[in-house]
PDB file of all heavy atoms in Angstrom:
ATOM      1  N   ILE A  66     196.925 -65.051 129.130  1.00  0.00           N
ATOM      2  CA  ILE A  66     198.090 -65.600 129.857  1.00  0.00           C
ATOM      3  C   ILE A  66     199.141 -65.962 128.899  1.00  0.00           C
ATOM      4  O   ILE A  66     200.278 -66.407 129.320  1.00  0.00           O
ATOM      5  CB  ILE A  66     197.674 -66.863 130.684  1.00  0.00           C
ATOM      6  CG1 ILE A  66     196.695 -67.756 129.797  1.00  0.00           C
ATOM      7  CG2 ILE A  66     196.849 -66.466 131.876  1.00  0.00           C
ATOM      8  CD1 ILE A  66     196.208 -68.951 130.549  1.00  0.00           C
ATOM      9  N   GLN A  67     198.922 -65.929 127.617  1.00  0.00           N
ATOM     10  CA  GLN A  67     199.899 -66.189 126.643  1.00  0.00           C
ATOM     11  C   GLN A  67     200.192 -64.892 125.785  1.00  0.00           C
ATOM     12  O   GLN A  67     199.224 -64.246 125.526  1.00  0.00           O
ATOM     13  CB  GLN A  67     199.619 -67.374 125.661  1.00  0.00           C
ATOM     14  CG  GLN A  67     199.197 -68.604 126.417  1.00  0.00           C
ATOM     15  CD  GLN A  67     200.342 -69.332 127.029  1.00  0.00           C
ATOM     16  OE1 GLN A  67     201.445 -69.176 126.791  1.00  0.00           O
ATOM     17  NE2 GLN A  67     200.025 -70.437 127.843  1.00  0.00           N
ATOM     18  N   LYS A  68     201.440 -64.684 125.425  1.00  0.00           N
ATOM     19  CA  LYS A  68     201.788 -63.558 124.498  1.00  0.00           C
ATOM     20  C   LYS A  68     201.041 -62.217 125.027  1.00  0.00           C
ATOM     21  O   LYS A  68     200.408 -61.535 124.374  1.00  0.00           O
ATOM     22  CB  LYS A  68     201.349 -63.855 123.099  1.00  0.00           C
ATOM     23  CG  LYS A  68     202.058 -64.984 122.559  1.00  0.00           C
ATOM     24  CD  LYS A  68     201.760 -65.272 121.063  1.00  0.00           C
ATOM     25  CE  LYS A  68     202.463 -66.304 120.494  1.00  0.00           C
ATOM     26  NZ  LYS A  68     202.042 -67.636 120.959  1.00  0.00           N
ATOM     27  N   THR A  69     201.343 -61.996 126.365  1.00  0.00           N
ATOM     28  CA  THR A  69     200.839 -60.679 126.984  1.00  0.00           C
ATOM     29  C   THR A  69     201.857 -60.142 127.894  1.00  0.00           C
ATOM     30  O   THR A  69     202.988 -60.803 128.069  1.00  0.00           O
ATOM     31  CB  THR A  69     199.456 -60.986 127.651  1.00  0.00           C
ATOM     32  OG1 THR A  69     198.920 -59.821 128.094  1.00  0.00           O
ATOM     33  CG2 THR A  69     199.654 -61.862 128.968  1.00  0.00           C
ATOM     34  N   ASN A  70     201.605 -59.083 128.464  1.00  0.00           N
ATOM     35  CA  ASN A  70     202.573 -58.415 129.403  1.00  0.00           C
ATOM     36  C   ASN A  70     202.638 -59.248 130.630  1.00  0.00           C
ATOM     37  O   ASN A  70     201.740 -59.968 131.025  1.00  0.00           O
ATOM     38  CB  ASN A  70     202.146 -57.028 129.674  1.00  0.00           C
ATOM     39  CG  ASN A  70     200.923 -56.884 130.446  1.00  0.00           C
ATOM     40  OD1 ASN A  70     200.803 -57.124 131.579  1.00  0.00           O
ATOM     41  ND2 ASN A  70     199.840 -56.413 129.675  1.00  0.00           N
ATOM     42  N   ILE A  71     203.764 -59.075 131.404  1.00  0.00           N
ATOM     43  CA  ILE A  71     204.085 -59.959 132.479  1.00  0.00           C
ATOM     44  C   ILE A  71     203.099 -59.776 133.615  1.00  0.00           C
ATOM     45  O   ILE A  71     202.845 -60.631 134.486  1.00  0.00           O
ATOM     46  CB  ILE A  71     205.560 -59.749 132.966  1.00  0.00           C
ATOM     47  CG1 ILE A  71     205.945 -60.851 134.038  1.00  0.00           C
ATOM     48  CG2 ILE A  71     205.666 -58.395 133.588  1.00  0.00           C
ATOM     49  CD1 ILE A  71     207.415 -60.928 134.074  1.00  0.00           C
ATOM     50  N   ILE A  72     202.607 -58.516 133.762  1.00  0.00           N
ATOM     51  CA  ILE A  72     201.612 -58.220 134.843  1.00  0.00           C
ATOM     52  C   ILE A  72     200.374 -58.963 134.693  1.00  0.00           C
ATOM     53  O   ILE A  72     199.838 -59.774 135.550  1.00  0.00           O
ATOM     54  CB  ILE A  72     201.289 -56.689 134.983  1.00  0.00           C
ATOM     55  CG1 ILE A  72     202.595 -55.936 135.435  1.00  0.00           C
ATOM     56  CG2 ILE A  72     200.185 -56.418 136.007  1.00  0.00           C
ATOM     57  CD1 ILE A  72     202.545 -54.499 135.345  1.00  0.00           C
ATOM     58  N   GLU A  73     199.747 -58.997 133.466  1.00  0.00           N
ATOM     59  CA  GLU A  73     198.420 -59.663 133.177  1.00  0.00           C
ATOM     60  C   GLU A  73     198.772 -61.170 133.204  1.00  0.00           C
ATOM     61  O   GLU A  73     197.970 -61.968 133.739  1.00  0.00           O
ATOM     62  CB  GLU A  73     197.860 -59.241 131.818  1.00  0.00           C
ATOM     63  CG  GLU A  73     196.464 -59.927 131.646  1.00  0.00           C
ATOM     64  CD  GLU A  73     195.816 -59.440 130.365  1.00  0.00           C
ATOM     65  OE1 GLU A  73     196.319 -58.768 129.578  1.00  0.00           O
ATOM     66  OE2 GLU A  73     194.664 -59.860 130.252  1.00  0.00           O
ATOM     67  N   LYS A  74     199.939 -61.611 132.712  1.00  0.00           N
ATOM     68  CA  LYS A  74     200.264 -63.037 132.784  1.00  0.00           C
ATOM     69  C   LYS A  74     200.270 -63.489 134.099  1.00  0.00           C
ATOM     70  O   LYS A  74     199.784 -64.618 134.489  1.00  0.00           O
ATOM     71  CB  LYS A  74     201.534 -63.231 131.981  1.00  0.00           C
ATOM     72  CG  LYS A  74     201.951 -64.709 131.939  1.00  0.00           C
ATOM     73  CD  LYS A  74     203.405 -64.776 131.218  1.00  0.00           C
ATOM     74  CE  LYS A  74     203.741 -66.291 131.128  1.00  0.00           C
ATOM     75  NZ  LYS A  74     203.100 -66.902 129.979  1.00  0.00           N
ATOM     76  N   GLY A  75     200.986 -62.784 135.085  1.00  0.00           N
ATOM     77  CA  GLY A  75     201.044 -63.167 136.367  1.00  0.00           C
ATOM     78  C   GLY A  75     199.809 -63.133 137.175  1.00  0.00           C
ATOM     79  O   GLY A  75     199.474 -64.197 137.750  1.00  0.00           O
ATOM     80  N   ILE A  76     198.930 -62.112 137.054  1.00  0.00           N
ATOM     81  CA  ILE A  76     197.697 -62.081 137.651  1.00  0.00           C
ATOM     82  C   ILE A  76     196.664 -63.187 137.173  1.00  0.00           C
ATOM     83  O   ILE A  76     196.128 -63.925 137.824  1.00  0.00           O
ATOM     84  CB  ILE A  76     196.919 -60.787 137.416  1.00  0.00           C
ATOM     85  CG1 ILE A  76     197.835 -59.709 138.170  1.00  0.00           C
ATOM     86  CG2 ILE A  76     195.618 -60.726 138.009  1.00  0.00           C
ATOM     87  CD1 ILE A  76     197.362 -58.142 137.838  1.00  0.00           C
ATOM     88  N   GLY A  77     196.843 -63.419 135.779  1.00  0.00           N
ATOM     89  CA  GLY A  77     195.996 -64.355 135.161  1.00  0.00           C
ATOM     90  C   GLY A  77     196.349 -65.839 135.611  1.00  0.00           C
ATOM     91  O   GLY A  77     195.476 -66.670 135.760  1.00  0.00           O
ATOM     92  N   THR A  78     197.621 -66.120 135.772  1.00  0.00           N
ATOM     93  CA  THR A  78     198.065 -67.357 136.189  1.00  0.00           C
ATOM     94  C   THR A  78     197.659 -67.657 137.620  1.00  0.00           C
ATOM     95  O   THR A  78     197.269 -68.807 138.018  1.00  0.00           O
ATOM     96  CB  THR A  78     199.638 -67.476 135.985  1.00  0.00           C
ATOM     97  OG1 THR A  78     200.024 -67.252 134.670  1.00  0.00           O
ATOM     98  CG2 THR A  78     200.156 -68.832 136.517  1.00  0.00           C
ATOM     99  N   LEU A  79     197.595 -66.687 138.484  1.00  0.00           N
ATOM    100  CA  LEU A  79     197.255 -66.860 139.865  1.00  0.00           C
ATOM    101  C   LEU A  79     195.691 -67.053 139.882  1.00  0.00           C
ATOM    102  O   LEU A  79     195.193 -67.778 140.658  1.00  0.00           O
ATOM    103  CB  LEU A  79     197.579 -65.594 140.719  1.00  0.00           C
ATOM    104  CG  LEU A  79     199.093 -65.547 140.960  1.00  0.00           C
ATOM    105  CD1 LEU A  79     199.381 -64.275 141.664  1.00  0.00           C
ATOM    106  CD2 LEU A  79     199.586 -66.617 141.891  1.00  0.00           C
ATOM    107  N   ALA A  80     194.988 -66.277 138.992  1.00  0.00           N
ATOM    108  CA  ALA A  80     193.425 -66.308 139.051  1.00  0.00           C
ATOM    109  C   ALA A  80     192.918 -67.639 138.467  1.00  0.00           C
ATOM    110  O   ALA A  80     191.815 -67.973 138.769  1.00  0.00           O
ATOM    111  CB  ALA A  80     192.936 -65.137 138.355  1.00  0.00           C
ATOM    112  N   ILE A  81     193.767 -68.315 137.626  1.00  0.00           N
ATOM    113  CA  ILE A  81     193.183 -69.461 136.885  1.00  0.00           C
ATOM    114  C   ILE A  81     192.722 -70.574 137.764  1.00  0.00           C
ATOM    115  O   ILE A  81     191.759 -71.235 137.495  1.00  0.00           O
ATOM    116  CB  ILE A  81     194.192 -69.911 135.847  1.00  0.00           C
ATOM    117  CG1 ILE A  81     193.590 -70.739 134.715  1.00  0.00           C
ATOM    118  CG2 ILE A  81     195.327 -70.776 136.506  1.00  0.00           C
ATOM    119  CD1 ILE A  81     194.421 -70.935 133.596  1.00  0.00           C
ATOM    120  N   GLU A  82     193.351 -70.689 138.972  1.00  0.00           N
ATOM    121  CA  GLU A  82     193.027 -71.726 139.923  1.00  0.00           C
ATOM    122  C   GLU A  82     191.584 -71.566 140.314  1.00  0.00           C
ATOM    123  O   GLU A  82     190.830 -72.541 140.315  1.00  0.00           O
ATOM    124  CB  GLU A  82     193.980 -71.640 141.164  1.00  0.00           C
ATOM    125  CG  GLU A  82     193.756 -72.729 142.096  1.00  0.00           C
ATOM    126  CD  GLU A  82     194.764 -72.777 143.164  1.00  0.00           C
ATOM    127  OE1 GLU A  82     195.151 -71.672 143.704  1.00  0.00           O
ATOM    128  OE2 GLU A  82     195.248 -73.879 143.482  1.00  0.00           O
ATOM    129  N   PHE A  83     191.180 -70.394 140.653  1.00  0.00           N
ATOM    130  CA  PHE A  83     189.820 -70.172 141.162  1.00  0.00           C
ATOM    131  C   PHE A  83     188.876 -70.167 140.035  1.00  0.00           C
ATOM    132  O   PHE A  83     187.679 -70.592 140.124  1.00  0.00           O
ATOM    133  CB  PHE A  83     189.781 -68.781 141.868  1.00  0.00           C
ATOM    134  CG  PHE A  83     190.726 -68.664 142.995  1.00  0.00           C
ATOM    135  CD1 PHE A  83     191.996 -68.095 142.867  1.00  0.00           C
ATOM    136  CD2 PHE A  83     190.447 -69.278 144.241  1.00  0.00           C
ATOM    137  CE1 PHE A  83     192.798 -67.899 143.957  1.00  0.00           C
ATOM    138  CE2 PHE A  83     191.336 -69.136 145.246  1.00  0.00           C
ATOM    139  CZ  PHE A  83     192.628 -68.571 145.208  1.00  0.00           C
ATOM    140  N   GLN A  84     189.248 -69.759 138.866  1.00  0.00           N
ATOM    141  CA  GLN A  84     188.354 -69.757 137.624  1.00  0.00           C
ATOM    142  C   GLN A  84     188.104 -71.297 137.271  1.00  0.00           C
ATOM    143  O   GLN A  84     186.906 -71.613 137.031  1.00  0.00           O
ATOM    144  CB  GLN A  84     189.070 -69.097 136.465  1.00  0.00           C
ATOM    145  CG  GLN A  84     189.070 -67.566 136.717  1.00  0.00           C
ATOM    146  CD  GLN A  84     190.100 -66.850 135.722  1.00  0.00           C
ATOM    147  OE1 GLN A  84     190.977 -67.472 135.200  1.00  0.00           O
ATOM    148  NE2 GLN A  84     189.784 -65.546 135.480  1.00  0.00           N
ATOM    149  N   TYR A  85     189.078 -72.074 137.264  1.00  0.00           N
ATOM    150  CA  TYR A  85     188.838 -73.565 137.025  1.00  0.00           C
ATOM    151  C   TYR A  85     188.054 -74.250 138.059  1.00  0.00           C
ATOM    152  O   TYR A  85     187.171 -74.989 137.742  1.00  0.00           O
ATOM    153  CB  TYR A  85     190.308 -74.285 136.906  1.00  0.00           C
ATOM    154  CG  TYR A  85     190.924 -74.222 135.479  1.00  0.00           C
ATOM    155  CD1 TYR A  85     190.797 -73.087 134.792  1.00  0.00           C
ATOM    156  CD2 TYR A  85     191.767 -75.237 135.021  1.00  0.00           C
ATOM    157  CE1 TYR A  85     191.461 -72.997 133.525  1.00  0.00           C
ATOM    158  CE2 TYR A  85     192.232 -75.220 133.839  1.00  0.00           C
ATOM    159  CZ  TYR A  85     192.196 -74.133 132.968  1.00  0.00           C
ATOM    160  OH  TYR A  85     192.777 -74.019 131.734  1.00  0.00           O
ATOM    161  N   LEU A  86     188.293 -73.956 139.273  1.00  0.00           N
ATOM    162  CA  LEU A  86     187.555 -74.533 140.424  1.00  0.00           C
ATOM    163  C   LEU A  86     186.062 -74.157 140.301  1.00  0.00           C
ATOM    164  O   LEU A  86     185.168 -74.965 140.484  1.00  0.00           O
ATOM    165  CB  LEU A  86     188.125 -74.009 141.704  1.00  0.00           C
ATOM    166  CG  LEU A  86     187.737 -74.807 143.094  1.00  0.00           C
ATOM    167  CD1 LEU A  86     187.796 -76.287 142.923  1.00  0.00           C
ATOM    168  CD2 LEU A  86     188.379 -74.263 144.284  1.00  0.00           C
ATOM    169  N   SER A  87     185.760 -72.856 140.038  1.00  0.00           N
ATOM    170  CA  SER A  87     184.481 -72.452 139.930  1.00  0.00           C
ATOM    171  C   SER A  87     183.722 -73.161 138.725  1.00  0.00           C
ATOM    172  O   SER A  87     182.580 -73.607 138.916  1.00  0.00           O
ATOM    173  CB  SER A  87     184.413 -70.918 139.570  1.00  0.00           C
ATOM    174  OG  SER A  87     183.098 -70.441 139.434  1.00  0.00           O
ATOM    175  N   ALA A  88     184.398 -73.300 137.660  1.00  0.00           N
ATOM    176  CA  ALA A  88     183.848 -73.879 136.427  1.00  0.00           C
ATOM    177  C   ALA A  88     183.601 -75.385 136.703  1.00  0.00           C
ATOM    178  O   ALA A  88     182.490 -75.859 136.205  1.00  0.00           O
ATOM    179  CB  ALA A  88     184.765 -73.679 135.242  1.00  0.00           C
ATOM    180  N   ILE A  89     184.498 -76.114 137.287  1.00  0.00           N
ATOM    181  CA  ILE A  89     184.130 -77.505 137.519  1.00  0.00           C
ATOM    182  C   ILE A  89     183.125 -77.731 138.541  1.00  0.00           C
ATOM    183  O   ILE A  89     182.261 -78.631 138.287  1.00  0.00           O
ATOM    184  CB  ILE A  89     185.669 -78.035 138.162  1.00  0.00           C
ATOM    185  CG1 ILE A  89     186.735 -78.208 137.111  1.00  0.00           C
ATOM    186  CG2 ILE A  89     185.438 -79.381 138.782  1.00  0.00           C
ATOM    187  CD1 ILE A  89     188.105 -78.523 137.552  1.00  0.00           C
ATOM    188  N   LYS A  90     182.997 -76.881 139.517  1.00  0.00           N
ATOM    189  CA  LYS A  90     181.872 -76.957 140.383  1.00  0.00           C
ATOM    190  C   LYS A  90     180.587 -76.826 139.798  1.00  0.00           C
ATOM    191  O   LYS A  90     179.617 -77.390 140.083  1.00  0.00           O
ATOM    192  CB  LYS A  90     182.076 -75.995 141.492  1.00  0.00           C
ATOM    193  CG  LYS A  90     183.116 -76.464 142.631  1.00  0.00           C
ATOM    194  CD  LYS A  90     183.216 -75.419 143.728  1.00  0.00           C
ATOM    195  CE  LYS A  90     184.300 -75.832 144.772  1.00  0.00           C
ATOM    196  NZ  LYS A  90     184.455 -74.681 145.850  1.00  0.00           N
TER     197      LYS A  90
END
Side-chain angles (χ1 to χ4, degrees):
I66 45 182
Q67 308 286 350
K68 298 183 178 69
T69 187
N70 65 76
I71 195 163
I72 295 172
E73 183 172 11
K74 184 183 181 75
I76 295 170
T78 302
L79 290 170
I81 202 168
E82 184 172 43
F83 302 100
Q84 292 165 333
Y85 273 38
L86 190 55
S87 175
I89 288 169
K90 286 179 178 178

